[in-house]
Amino acid sequence: MLKKCAIITACAAAMLCAAHARITSFGEPAKYGLSPSPENWYDVNPYTWDVFTTFDGDKIMGAGTERYTMLGAECYSTGVIEGRKVGDFTAVASLVDRGAFFGGDGYLDLYYFAPVDANKYAQQINFFGGWKYNLNQYLDIDIGGNMIYSTKRVVGPGLVVEGMGGETLRGDIYIGFTTNKLYVAPFVFAGYDPTYDELRLTAGFAPSVDLEPITGIRGLAIESKAIFGYVRAQRFSGSEIVGGGYWRTEYSYIQTEANLVYTYKHLRTFAGVGWAIHDDGKYAPNGAYLGSDNNVWVGGGIGWIF
């Protein structure tokens, strides 16, 4: 168990905040490996320090504690990242792992984002992860990020634009705060992508509704997420100078998704809908079409929980 935790945590520690057309651990409150929060709202939880000072590898890595690990296969009628269309019909293979780490909730979301039309769009491999911790009675901190490899040179969140440069490897780091003390489960994050010299600000809600009291069906729930984002990039197409300078842009977007989820023992299935819109227009500086600025999609998937 310790070896497995070490490998997973090492990957998560190397992760460098993106909003995708799929609900991930991003924006969720801490769940695993936690101690009870202090009784007074102004007291800071010392548990992570207490765990560290034990110098006990099993305790630090969460060996023998509850974990959530799932392999999944998903598909979406439209692939959307940060409010922008980056694929038509898109298949996704994913691995999600969450568990105790340094007295908090260490999480990893590894997935392969594969638009079916590989000639038109880039396929992307995303290593996404971080660490959540209940700072006090009301507030959780979330530190992490992602690293993404694309099969084509892309600009922004994964757009293939002829004649506008782009990068195949990029990533970002972020810090945010979440809470589960309010029904709508609000969150706020700030992130930075050094590849695009890009500032990202996101805020939103991630409520989950247990439908068992209403339907009598155990394991049935609605999971949803609404993200309001702002992006300001000084090098939207990466390090390449195009037309005498870097592609600079800033835009806002809204992205929402709601899934009907059913979990039975080790099996998890979901089906849902999503909508996203941004205000950065439909064309690149060279006139290339970037796709619709208003997208609706349906999606679904199945997963096996270990």
Side-chain angles (χ1 to χ4, degrees):
M1 172 63 76
L2 177 57
K3 183 177 180 181
K4 174 188 175 185
C5 294
I7 293 172
I8 290 172
T9 304
C11 292
M15 299 308 96
L16 293 174
C17 108
H20 304 273
R22 50 194 304 272
I23 294 177
T24 66
S25 301
F26 176 73
E28 291 188 358
K31 294 181 181 179
Y32 298 92
L34 308 178
S35 70
S37 299
E39 292 184 5
N40 298 318
W41 68 268
Y42 51 82
D43 287 337
V44 176
N45 188 358
Y47 184 61
T48 184
W49 177 253
D50 294 342
V51 169
F52 174 71
T53 54
T54 65
F55 300 104
D56 183 332
D58 285 350
K59 191 172 184 65
I60 291 172
M61 304 303 293
T65 61
E66 180 186 7
R67 299 195 73 84
Y68 177 90
T69 305
M70 186 185 74
L71 281 173
E74 310 159 23
C75 60
Y76 301 88
S77 60
T78 300
V80 175
I81 300 178
E82 292 177 9
R84 292 178 174 272
K85 180 180 179 179
V86 294
D88 290 321
F89 185 86
T90 299
V92 178
S94 64
L95 167 65
V96 177
D97 186 85
R98 294 183 67 171
F101 176 60
F102 268 89
D105 180 349
Y107 61 93
L108 168 68
D109 193 335
L110 167 63
Y111 65 88
Y112 181 57
F113 184 91
V116 172
D117 189 348
N119 293 320
K120 184 177 180 181
Y121 300 103
Q123 299 184 352
Q124 304 187 61
I125 301 173
N126 191 312
F127 299 86
F128 165 78
W131 179 76
K132 304 171 186 285
Y133 183 67
N134 52 330
L135 276 178
N136 57 32
Q137 189 178 121
Y138 298 102
L139 202 62
D140 298 344
I141 190 171
D142 190 336
I143 304 171
N146 69 84
M147 185 173 291
I148 305 171
Y149 170 76
S150 302
T151 56
K152 298 178 183 291
R153 297 179 68 186
V154 299
V155 304
L159 302 164
V160 178
V161 186
E162 188 69 29
M164 289 303 295
E167 302 288 346
T168 58
L169 186 65
R170 65 192 192 277
D172 67 3
I173 55 175
Y174 61 79
I175 183 171
F177 298 93
T178 65
T179 182
N180 59 2
K181 298 303 181 182
L182 299 176
Y183 172 75
V184 294
F187 57 85
V188 59
F189 283 81
Y192 177 72
D193 182 336
T195 304
Y196 298 138
D197 190 9
E198 184 175 272
L199 171 68
R200 298 173 181 170
L201 302 176
T202 55
F205 310 95
S208 180
V209 181
D210 183 3
L211 296 180
E212 182 180 357
I214 301 173
T215 64
I217 302 175
R218 185 177 183 181
L220 189 65
I222 294 177
E223 295 181 357
S224 59
K225 186 169 289 184
I227 296 176
F228 305 88
Y230 168 76
V231 176
R232 186 181 66 196
Q234 302 301 318
R235 298 191 303 267
F236 199 58
S237 57
S239 59
E240 185 171 336
I241 294 177
V242 180
Y246 293 117
W247 180 359
R248 293 179 170 85
T249 189
E250 63 178 322
Y251 66 94
S252 302
Y253 67 90
I254 300 172
Q255 187 162 316
T256 64
E257 186 170 7
N259 292 331
L260 181 64
V261 180
Y262 177 63
T263 305
Y264 178 73
K265 295 183 178 179
H266 295 282
L267 183 67
R268 182 184 187 277
T269 62
F270 77 90
V273 297
W275 169 73
I277 187 171
H278 69 83
D279 63 0
D280 198 32
K282 301 179 181 180
Y283 297 93
N286 66 352
Y289 182 58
L290 300 176
S292 174
D293 57 3
N294 192 333
N295 292 280
V296 177
W297 65 89
V298 296
I302 187 169
W304 185 261
I305 303 169
F306 295 89

